[in-house]
Amino acid sequence: MSFLDKATVEGGTQYYKVKTNAKAFAFKNYGFKETASGNFQLVRPLDTNPQNKQSPKLKITVAKDLKTLKMSITTANGLKPLNIFKGDQQKKKQDQFRYIMADMIHFGCFEKVED
């Protein structure tokens, strides 16, 4: 998957982009880890129960120039992409995803954009 100006997860309808005036320290303070290539990556489970090791994970990578990103939701081992927006049985995970994204918007990392 390549870096894009705006991105969403599989099945998602809301797109996000890196905030124009975002700073690297905002991503680091939020919990993003710097990769060997200089990009910033966050991997966060979508389960509010920390004991659940089988929870799907939200994975967001922001390019080192802080202009482009890629994002996905994967299985717990990170090998297979998931669509949590298919059906109503994933409602809690959908709410958790929206909460995490709203928090990162409030933190100054991302902003919502129209499709």
Side-chain angles (χ1 to χ4, degrees):
M1 180 187 307
S2 62
F3 287 96
L4 305 167
D5 291 331
K6 61 180 181 176
T8 191
V9 295
E10 185 176 332
T13 57
Q14 178 63 60
Y15 282 79
Y16 302 90
K17 72 174 191 170
V18 178
K19 191 164 183 161
T20 307
N21 59 350
K23 305 288 184 215
F25 68 83
F27 291 100
K28 289 179 182 179
N29 287 347
Y30 195 82
F32 281 75
K33 304 291 184 205
E34 196 164 353
T35 66
S37 59
N39 298 326
F40 298 96
Q41 186 173 69
L42 177 78
V43 178
R44 173 99 21 113
L46 289 180
D47 198 323
T48 54
N49 178 2
Q51 304 304 321
N52 185 358
K53 302 296 183 204
Q54 297 303 313
S55 175
K57 292 187 171 36
L58 170 63
K59 183 176 177 181
I60 302 174
T61 307
V62 176
K64 60 185 168 187
D65 65 1
L66 303 179
K67 295 188 186 313
T68 56
L69 75 155
K70 54 185 172 180
M71 57 193 311
S72 63
I73 295 176
T74 64
T75 55
N77 62 10
L79 297 177
K80 185 177 171 191
L82 288 178
N83 181 352
I84 63 168
F85 294 98
K86 191 171 22 173
D88 291 334
Q89 68 273 22
Q90 301 285 337
K91 181 82 169 110
K92 287 185 180 179
K93 290 179 180 44
Q94 293 171 19
D95 291 343
Q96 183 66 9
F97 167 74
R98 288 184 186 108
Y99 172 80
I100 291 170
M101 294 309 297
D103 196 43
M104 285 192 279
I105 288 169
H106 178 75
F107 213 75
C109 297
F110 299 110
E111 57 187 302
K112 290 181 179 183
V113 291
E114 298 300 319
D115 181 22

